[in-house]
Structures are given as C-alpha cells and as structure tokens.
Amino acid sequence: MASSSSCSSVSNSVLSNPKSRFLSSSKDVFGSNSSSISFSKRPNSGRNSQNSVVCALQTPSILQIPKQSPVKTTTGTIEFPPSSSKVQQNWNLLQKLAAMALDAIEDGIKAQEKQHPLPKTADPNVQIAGNFSPVPEQPVKKYLPVDGKIPDHIEGVYLRNGANPLFEPTSGHHLFDGDGIGVANAGLVYFNNRLLAMSEDDLPYHVRVTPSGDLKTAGRYNFDGQLESTMIAHPKLDPVSGELFALSYDVIQKPYLKYFRFSPDGKKSKDVAIDLEKPTMVHDFAITENFVVVPDHQVVFKMSEMITGGSPVVYDKEKVSRFGVLDKYAENGSGIKWVEVPDCFCFHLWNAWEEPESDEVVVIGSCMTPADSIFNECNEELKSVLSEIRLNLKTGKSTRRNIISPENDVNLEAGMVNKNLLGRKSRFAYLAIAEPWPKVSGFAKVDLFTGETKKFIYGDQKYGGEPLFLPRDTNSGEEDDGHILAFVHDENSWKSELQIVNAKTMELEATVNLPSRVPYGFHGTFINAGDLATQA
C-alpha cells in the first residue's frame, strides 16, 4: 500500500561498542511520520568499529497528487513533498455522489471558518510551523556518528510516530491531523509479533521493520477480521499475562464506548458496552492486576459545533468527571463501579494499581486545565499537574493530591513508568516537561511516593518529545535500572539527535547524531532484537 525507500550512510569510529545503529523515519499511507532507530550487534572490528543508524520515509502510492503550494509560516516555509501522478478513482455512481456531498459539507465548513480568525489550536502557522512541519521521505542511513557509549542492553528498534501532513491545509489544521486514507499518528504498540500504529478514529495499521532497517506499511489490521470498530491509541499490554486491553469510542451512536481484550496470541474477546450518556473523548485509560480503569471526563464530542466552524471537542461544565472500575474479564458492563472525581481531566494516565487493604484503586495521571485547551483556544494558561487519585470501591468516594509540591511543579504530560510494572505499584514515572507548551524542553524523573523530582534538560534551544524508559533487565530488582531514550531537535543548528540518559544517575551517556530532521511527535515504543526477528 505504501512505497518506501532506504537511505545513505556515514562512517563513525567514535563508539567502541560493537553494535550497529539504524535510524528510520517514515511518512506513511496514514499521513504520519514514524521515526525509528535500530541497535544491533556487529562483529567487533577493532578500534575502528562502527555504529549505524537507518532513516526511511514512506509516501502513499495510492494517493499520488501533484505538489501543493508551500505554506508560509513565521519560522519559514513548509514544503509539501511532490508526487508523480493523479489519484485514480474507479468509483461507482453512489460513491461519486457521496463524495460530492461530503465535499459540499466540507466547503461549507471551510467557508464558515474563513469568516473568523483561526484559533492557535487550528492555525497552520502555529500547528505545523518550525519543527512541527512535515518532513519528506528519507532513505535508510547507516554508520551514524555517536558521542559517548551506547549501553550494551539497548539492542532492537526504538520507534516514535506523529502527524506529518502531505498537503497544504486549505483552512484549519490541528496538531493531530494527517493526510491519507486514515490516521495512525498518536501511538505505537508491539503485540503478537506485529508493530501497530494507531489513532482514535481508525483501525490500527500494521507496519513492518525490514531487514535493511526500512519501514513498510502492510495496511490496516483488524486482527484477522475480529475487530470491527476503531481502537484508541493507548491499548495496555499486561506485562504478566501478555494480554492486550483496549477501548473503542463512537461519537455518533450508542454504545459510545466499548471495552475488549486480546489474548497473547491475538484472539479477541467480545465487546463489552460501557454505558455513557454522551460521546466522550477517552484518549487513554489504565489497567491494574484485576481491573480496567476508564475515565469519563468533561471533554465530550458535540458534532454540531463543526457546522459553525468550531471544534467538535468541547468542555461540558455541567458534567461531573468520574472513573469507572470494571473487572478485566467482565462479560458485560453492568458491574462497573463509578467514582466521581470532580473537576478532573486526565488526557493520559501513567499507571494504576490496587491497594486491597484500603479498598482503593490508585490512579496516577496528569490533570490538565483548561480541560479542552488542546482543542480550543483559551486565554487561561495551560496547567498539567501530576496527581495521585484514589478511588475507594467500598465507599464510592475519591481523593486527589498533587504529587509534586507547588513550588517545584512543572507541566508534565507525555511519558511512562517501567513497562514491567504496568498495572502494579510503581515508584518512578518519567514524564516530558511540556514547557514552553507545546514544546518539550526535557523530562523529569518523579518519585511518586515522595514527590522528589529530578529534571533532565535537553540543552539550549533543544526540544524533544516523550521520554521512553527502557529497563536494563526484566528481572532487575531496581525499578529505575535502565535508560531513557528521546529524539531531540536543536533549533539553533536545525539538526536532530537521539539522546540516551542513565535513569539512575540522570546523566547523558550517548548521543546519536541524526542525518535528517525529526519533527516533534507523540508516543513511541521499543522492540527488542529477539522480538524483531519473529515479527509478522
């Protein structure tokens, strides 16, 4: 479905570690960019041993449309990649009429938008300017320069995806938008020998890492016909059972929310309908050892707002936020226990666990205000507070506390805990410092018990994305024994790099200099070399 290509090479003798590094960067059929860096062992060739990193970008072969005009921005020109031929649409009459009707609706919405200045949340001059702007297809590149020493346990592929529009926007553009036959730019998971790229409003996309280090889209993946709905971008992989837990929401008809799971070999359970009064934005959720924890917050869908050029995602001040706790293996949603948590909106939940002695489920998340600030412009400054939320299943009451003291608090948004402790009690979280919003200036290692916070700043005029914590060993007795990986962009030199930081000491151990710019993106994952060898 997508064409792909592989890129050039640069020799390096800085690093004596006998491994090769590959960086891949992919602009794919779903209108997103995916960047990956591969770490694999090489025979030791002495003091001139080399490392390599591979870079690849894919463009949709079925959406070949002539080059669009570039967009002028406050930070320069956004170039949109060329393509070689026009779309070949062998549609029947009904499809053509439906397309004409949709075009008419879209033209009407755009006409409404042009009557008012675009908010920052939809202004292309903000949303896809600077290092948020698109990147063209890049070939695989090997033997990239490395400063420092890459730790021996890092062997596999680190991937991250994000939006990467192919065409010039004709009106508004949101940070999560993309071009293509679908969107899969908000999350990645490796499950049942498949790398899946995901968003909220489509099926997952199956992406393969080729032996050369390139990225190739296999196409939409419906789990061999079992999945008949969309799947959110943050499914949860249980580190003990190997099961994958997921949600799907609908903005048009009930049930607005469904829960399901997959066995380790990919067999899907039946859908469990979760009763909601309104279609709600559920970007993330959490699991514990025995439960799934589902947020039902105040950010809802109101599709009628689109007719007047507004955002369909709005804040409902009349609604009370709550969390639902449901048995992982429930056959229906009747047993869900709802606990109200007033004035709480968590775009992401970092972890959750059970404390049976107090009948509580503990949820760790970042509470964001204004709740709809990602989707609607507001004069109020965005605040994202790392919080511990306790849901008492016996009394039906909740408590909430700020984990970091007010004088040391910073906006912490994207990140993770040690994946081996997902759904179990964990002490540390590694979270992006989302300042100046929406850029990320570094990350923080937070002790969830004491609130102690250690910060790592990427550097002067250097900004990145979500930190990924990679444990040194699955069986390690120390929760923070591992390294943090992050793509970082230098806005002075206009070059990108991969930084590798020791999670215990919070010191930089290695920097891989990348041959092409990596746009600021969202979430990522790491595939170990052994798993990569068995990918479907």
Side-chain angles (χ1 to χ4, degrees):
M1 292 183 66
S3 61
S4 60
S5 61
S6 308
C7 37
S8 71
S9 65
V10 178
S11 64
N12 160 56
S13 60
V14 175
L15 190 63
S16 60
N17 186 8
K19 294 185 177 182
S20 55
R21 325 287 174 208
F22 299 88
L23 171 72
S24 282
S25 159
S26 169
K27 175 176 187 175
D28 227 325
V29 68
F30 37 78
S32 71
N33 69 74
S34 298
S35 301
S36 72
I37 184 163
S38 302
F39 303 83
S40 58
K41 291 182 179 177
R42 291 170 53 88
N44 196 330
S45 56
R47 66 184 182 91
N48 290 323
S49 62
Q50 297 175 319
N51 302 303
S52 65
V53 184
V54 184
C55 214
L57 278 178
Q58 301 170 326
T59 55
S61 58
I62 63 171
L63 290 174
Q64 301 297 329
I65 294 178
K67 179 175 173 62
Q68 309 293 299
S69 302
V71 173
K72 296 292 184 181
T73 73
T74 55
T75 56
T77 299
I78 300 173
E79 292 289 346
F80 288 86
S83 30
S84 59
S85 63
K86 294 184 178 180
V87 179
Q88 299 298 317
Q89 296 177 345
N90 298 316
W91 290 350
N92 60 38
L93 179 61
L94 182 61
Q95 289 173 317
K96 290 178 180 179
L97 290 173
M100 290 172 62
L102 289 173
D103 285 344
I105 293 171
E106 183 182 13
D107 290 342
I109 293 173
K110 287 188 291 187
Q112 288 286 343
E113 285 184 344
K114 290 178 180 178
Q115 294 179 14
H116 310 282
L118 286 171
K120 291 180 181 179
T121 53
D123 188 348
N125 292 320
V126 175
Q127 295 299 317
I128 49 174
N131 195 43
F132 289 101
S133 63
V135 289
E137 183 172 358
Q138 297 290 336
V140 175
K141 288 196 175 182
K142 300 182 179 180
Y143 310 122
L144 297 187
V146 179
D147 299 322
K149 184 179 185 299
I150 296 176
D152 290 336
H153 75 96
I154 300 179
E155 185 176 355
V157 180
Y158 168 42
L159 305 106
R160 194 227 60 202
N161 66 346
N164 201 62
L166 179 62
F167 309 123
E168 174 189 352
T170 56
S171 56
H173 181 94
H174 189 270
L175 184 62
F176 296 160
D177 287 344
D179 297 321
I181 61 171
V183 180
N185 56 28
L188 294 162
V189 67
Y190 189 78
F191 172 69
N192 191 27
N193 300 323
R194 288 177 176 83
L195 172 63
L196 302 177
M198 298 159 296
S199 185
E200 329 274 277
D201 52 358
D202 202 349
L203 289 169
Y205 280 80
H206 178 197
V207 180
R208 292 190 180 98
V209 182
T210 70
S212 70
D214 207 345
L215 300 175
K216 183 176 182 181
T217 303
R220 279 190 176 96
Y221 184 66
N222 60 8
F223 292 84
D224 297 324
Q226 300 178 91
L227 183 60
E228 298 178 349
S229 63
T230 62
M231 190 167 91
I232 69 167
H234 294 294
K236 304 300 176 185
L237 185 59
D238 191 300
V240 177
S241 71
E243 296 166 296
L244 188 72
F245 299 86
L247 299 176
S248 173
Y249 63 75
D250 193 307
V251 301
I252 303 297
Q253 61 184 1
K254 287 189 173 185
Y256 294 128
L257 187 65
K258 295 185 292 188
Y259 158 70
F260 48 89
R261 68 184 188 278
F262 297 94
S263 65
D265 59 355
K267 290 184 175 62
K268 181 181 175 295
S269 71
K270 73 173 187 178
D271 291 337
V272 174
I274 297 177
D275 186 31
L276 301 181
E277 292 183 4
K278 297 179 179 180
T280 303
M281 158 69 76
V282 186
H283 181 73
D284 199 2
F285 73 113
I287 62 171
T288 69
E289 188 173 355
N290 296 293
F291 302 114
V292 290
V293 182
V294 180
D296 177 24
H297 293 333
Q298 293 167 281
V299 177
V300 301
F301 289 97
K302 192 175 181 181
M303 305 308 291
S304 59
E305 293 292 316
M306 291 179 62
I307 304 302
T308 57
S311 169
V313 184
V314 298
Y315 174 72
D316 183 353
K317 63 181 180 180
E318 302 299 325
K319 185 178 179 181
V320 178
S321 290
R322 59 181 185 169
F323 286 87
V325 181
L326 179 68
D327 188 284
K328 272 183 176 178
Y329 304 101
E331 293 292 320
N332 57 65
S334 62
I336 194 167
K337 296 181 179 179
W338 292 104
V339 179
E340 292 186 351
V341 186
D343 300 317
C344 171
F345 173 71
C346 292
F347 198 58
H348 292 106
L349 300 176
W350 312 122
N351 203 12
W353 62 81
E354 301 158 32
E355 293 191 354
E357 63 277 9
S358 61
D359 296 308
E360 290 179 318
V361 169
V362 179
V363 181
I364 306 296
S366 292
C367 293
M368 184 182 291
T369 54
D372 61 342
S373 56
I374 295 178
F375 304 97
N376 296 289
E377 188 170 358
C378 181
N379 294 327
E380 185 180 346
E381 183 181 358
L382 181 141
K383 192 69 176 173
S384 185
V385 179
L386 183 62
S387 305
E388 177 193 85
I389 302 162
R390 289 181 169 266
L391 311 173
N392 192 302
L393 302 185
K394 188 174 183 179
T395 65
K397 303 293 184 181
S398 69
T399 59
R400 185 174 74 188
R401 73 174 180 90
N402 297 349
I403 293 176
I404 303 173
S405 59
E407 61 272 17
N408 296 319
D409 198 14
V410 291
N411 285 331
L412 300 176
E413 228 322 295
M416 63 186 300
V417 300
N418 186 323
K419 63 181 181 181
N420 297 323
L421 292 174
L422 192 68
R424 281 78 184 168
K425 193 169 187 175
S426 56
R427 180 165 189 168
F428 299 110
Y430 308 91
L431 303 171
I433 299 174
E435 296 178 357
W437 178 262
K439 294 180 182 178
V440 170
S441 57
F443 64 86
K445 174 187 178 182
V446 182
D447 187 319
L448 302 176
F449 301 164
T450 67
E452 180 185 7
T453 303
K454 297 179 180 178
K455 300 176 185 177
F456 179 88
I457 305 301
Y458 293 134
D460 182 39
Q461 291 301 302
K462 290 185 177 182
Y463 302 97
E466 176 188 66
L468 182 138
F469 174 77
L470 185 63
R472 184 183 303 274
D473 189 330
T474 304
N475 300 315
S476 177
E478 297 178 285
E479 183 182 326
D480 60 349
D481 184 16
H483 289 80
I484 294 118
L485 283 65
F487 285 119
V488 175
H489 182 69
D490 188 327
E491 296 196 348
N492 283 325
S493 66
W494 211 242
K495 294 182 178 179
S496 296
E497 62 193 21
L498 176 77
Q499 294 189 5
I500 302 175
V501 179
N502 187 304
K504 291 181 75 66
T505 65
M506 294 292 283
E507 294 179 355
L508 182 66
E509 290 196 358
T511 300
V512 180
N513 300 298
L514 306 182
S516 59
R517 179 171 63 86
V518 177
Y520 302 132
F522 304 125
H523 306 286
T525 192
F526 191 92
I527 308 174
N528 292 315
D531 293 329
L532 195 64
T534 62
Q535 68 174 322

